[in-house]
Amino acid sequence: MTKIKTFENLDLHNKKVLLRVDFNVPLESNKNTNTITDDWRIQSSLPTINLLLEKKARIIICTHIGRPKGKYSKDLTIGPIADHLSQLLKTKVHQANDSIGTDVEILVDQLQESSILILQNIRFYIDEDKNSIPFSKKLAKPYDIFINDAFGVAHRENSSTVGVTQFLPSYGGLLMKQEIEVLNHLTKSAPSPRTAIIGGAKIADKLLLLKNIAKSVENLIVGGAMAQPIINFLEGVSNIDNTLDKQIDVLLKLIHSHNTKLILPKDFLITEQISEFSKTRLINMNDLPKDWQIVDIGPKSISQIQGIIDKSSTIFWNGPMGIFEIKKYSKGTSQIAKTLAKANNKLTVLGGGSTVQAVRNEGLDDKFSHISTGGGAFLKFLEGQTLPAIIPITE
Ligand code: 3PG
């Protein structure tokens, strides 16, 4: 079981702490100003920042924003995040124009205890993406200790998540610790019956997740359009992609060998053309006409899933049940979100960009036991893969 080394018991008074966070938040560009449209990831690292402030550390925050691939982009600079963090903490957050070098070293030296400096977007350096060792050494140079709270980027082997740990004593932050603890618990020790609800459009993107999660749950619900290739396979209808059939065969055998119950949608909402104004039809699971597309699960599937949720003690959810961004296709996703939000005596965990978005659209994000801040990192962890940034901060 992965156990994160945390900084909670360290004396950090006046220590120069490099804190890696994932403040990769959505930004909207309007009349030359960039506004944060969702600050949830910033909010999620506030407990770590507040504890460091309490400990009277000198806090130097490092994050990436977007994927500038080593090039400066004025739409991806740190300014809006620094301003927003200042407002949240009600304290000035100083800004650096760079992430390494003499100017940064001067600012770090001038920083008082319980003060914060935020570095420029680390991905303006391509060496960050390459996990370059000389760059990591330069990045680490001004600091006494490194704390990684950036679970969302823990699947990337970058200088600021991995390389820097070669040069500094390294620990995990409170968010990192919580994410790892919850996800470990979810698959290993959470109360049974455990149910996983996995949705999305393409089964190929979720095969590894399905295989790994099937080992640790009693009920595996597959929803959304990605259920169709499994239904085809079970009915002896070949999927266009022959390798997919082989992979589904392996998956089904694995599910069977673990005595896991596979639940597929009983009905679907379908359309010929995806649009807010399109005509839709409800069909049973095996009646999909040629040239029609699945855009949601139907009412029988919704009540079947609700019944299973009702009888489960632990529920894990990743992937929407349909194209929830279009209102008339959003019922399946929205009903699952509402049912889980009411299940407050159960362990409810969800993650993945669009699933989190769906729940936040419904204003239900405070109603779950845990919502992961990771997209790719969350999926890779639950696929059973090792996240490179976790290794150096593991006990
Ligand atoms: C995310 O948004 O999932 C993380 O910030 C990682 O971003 P990346 O996929 O650009 O590395």
Side-chain angles (χ1 to χ4, degrees):
M1 180 97 87
T2 321
K3 201 152 183 265
I4 298 297
K5 281 190 274 176
T6 61
F7 67 96
E8 285 149 284
N9 297 324
L10 300 180
D11 176 8
L12 295 177
H13 188 186
N14 215 19
K15 292 275 187 278
K16 292 175 264 179
V17 177
L18 177 63
L19 172 65
R20 178 59 158 105
V21 293
D22 184 345
F23 286 174
N24 186 22
V25 290
L27 292 164
E28 205 172 71
S29 190
N30 197 354
K31 292 188 191 142
N32 283 334
T33 55
N34 292 323
T35 323
I36 297 167
T37 54
D38 188 341
D39 74 345
W40 171 59
R41 274 186 166 165
I42 301 180
Q43 298 267 6
S44 302
S45 270
L46 290 183
T48 298
I49 298 172
N50 280 323
L51 183 55
L52 287 169
L53 286 169
E54 244 174 66
K55 282 179 177 281
K56 299 195 172 13
R58 295 149 80 181
I59 308 161
I60 298 85
I61 295 179
C62 170
T63 186
H64 70 282
I65 313 160
R67 292 177 177 166
K69 295 195 164 57
K71 292 209 174 71
Y72 174 87
S73 156
K74 74 173 176 27
D75 291 334
L76 297 175
T77 54
I78 204 68
I81 291 173
D83 294 343
H84 191 71
L85 189 60
S86 293
Q87 282 167 22
L88 290 176
L89 293 168
K90 299 188 178 59
T91 185
K92 182 163 176 58
V93 172
H94 304 271
Q95 289 178 50
N97 286 326
D98 209 331
S99 332
I100 54 162
T102 319
D103 288 354
V104 171
E105 283 164 34
I106 293 168
L107 289 173
V108 172
D109 278 341
Q110 287 169 347
L111 199 68
Q112 305 291 307
E113 61 181 44
S114 294
S115 298
I116 304 173
L117 169 71
I118 192 159
L119 303 177
Q120 187 51 280
N121 185 351
I122 189 77
R123 284 193 181 165
F124 289 168
Y125 282 98
I126 196 68
D127 283 343
E128 157 70 357
D129 300 17
K130 291 184 182 157
N131 189 22
S132 135
I133 292 308
F135 179 75
S136 306
K137 195 171 177 185
K138 283 184 204 155
L139 178 64
K141 190 177 167 216
Y143 312 109
D144 300 311
I145 159 174
F146 172 65
I147 296 177
N148 190 350
D149 211 26
F151 176 74
V153 72
H155 57 313
R156 306 277 184 222
E157 198 167 335
N158 294 155
S159 274
S160 68
T161 59
V162 176
V164 76
T165 64
Q166 287 191 25
F167 305 99
L168 290 171
S170 301
Y171 297 84
L174 301 179
L175 173 64
M176 183 68 96
K177 182 180 162 197
Q178 187 195 20
E179 292 268 16
I180 299 294
E181 274 178 7
V182 173
L183 299 183
N184 267 327
H185 177 58
L186 180 71
T187 50
K188 301 204 167 66
S189 48
S192 285
R194 296 182 205 155
T195 294
I197 308 171
I198 313 292
K202 280 202 234 129
I203 189 163
D205 298 344
K206 299 283 170 84
L207 278 167
L208 285 176
L209 174 68
L210 289 169
K211 277 190 196 160
N212 199 47
I213 211 83
K215 297 178 200 161
S216 44
V217 296
E218 280 82 10
N219 303 306
L220 178 57
I221 300 174
V222 179
M226 67 180 243
Q228 187 61 42
I230 304 182
I231 296 171
N232 289 347
F233 182 86
L234 288 171
E235 300 202 329
V237 178
S238 292
N239 286 298
I240 302 164
D241 176 357
N242 193 252
T243 24
L244 188 59
D245 280 338
K246 286 190 193 129
Q247 288 165 329
I248 293 174
D249 190 27
V250 173
L251 171 68
L252 294 179
K253 284 185 177 133
L254 187 120
I255 291 173
H256 185 70
S257 72
H258 286 278
N259 278 331
T260 303
K261 196 168 165 206
L262 174 68
I263 298 106
L264 294 164
K266 286 175 182 288
D267 54 353
F268 290 112
L269 185 75
I270 59 166
T271 187
E272 266 184 309
Q273 209 181 9
I274 295 169
S275 103
E276 188 65 71
F277 312 102
S278 66
K279 264 207 208 127
T280 55
R281 267 174 56 190
L282 272 173
I283 53 151
N284 284 326
M285 71 182 270
N286 40 15
D287 289 344
L288 182 67
K290 205 170 169 293
D291 299 330
W292 286 66
Q293 298 174 65
I294 294 171
V295 287
D296 199 2
I297 52 172
K300 289 187 226 163
S301 311
I302 295 173
S303 48
Q304 184 189 28
I305 297 174
Q306 285 170 330
I308 297 168
I309 292 174
D310 218 36
K311 292 198 192 92
S312 304
S313 300
T314 300
I315 305 107
F316 155 64
W317 182 23
N318 169 259
M321 298 293 105
I323 306 174
F324 69 93
E325 295 88 345
I326 296 181
K327 183 115 185 50
K328 66 193 293 188
Y329 311 150
S330 66
K331 194 158 178 201
T333 306
S334 149
Q335 288 301 316
I336 303 305
K338 286 181 181 149
T339 309
L340 286 174
K342 280 196 214 124
N344 41 25
N345 53 345
K346 302 172 191 285
L347 179 70
T348 50
V349 178
L350 68 91
S354 49
T355 320
V356 176
Q357 195 53 56
V359 165
R360 289 177 67 72
N361 287 354
E362 301 279 343
L364 296 172
D365 39 311
D366 58 342
K367 302 273 187 271
F368 293 81
S369 314
H370 181 75
I371 301 186
S372 177
T373 51
F378 167 82
L379 276 184
K380 287 220 156 57
F381 189 94
L382 291 172
E383 284 169 4
Q385 300 196 42
T386 306
L387 307 185
I390 306 293
I391 300 167
I393 53 166
T394 299
E395 266 180 10

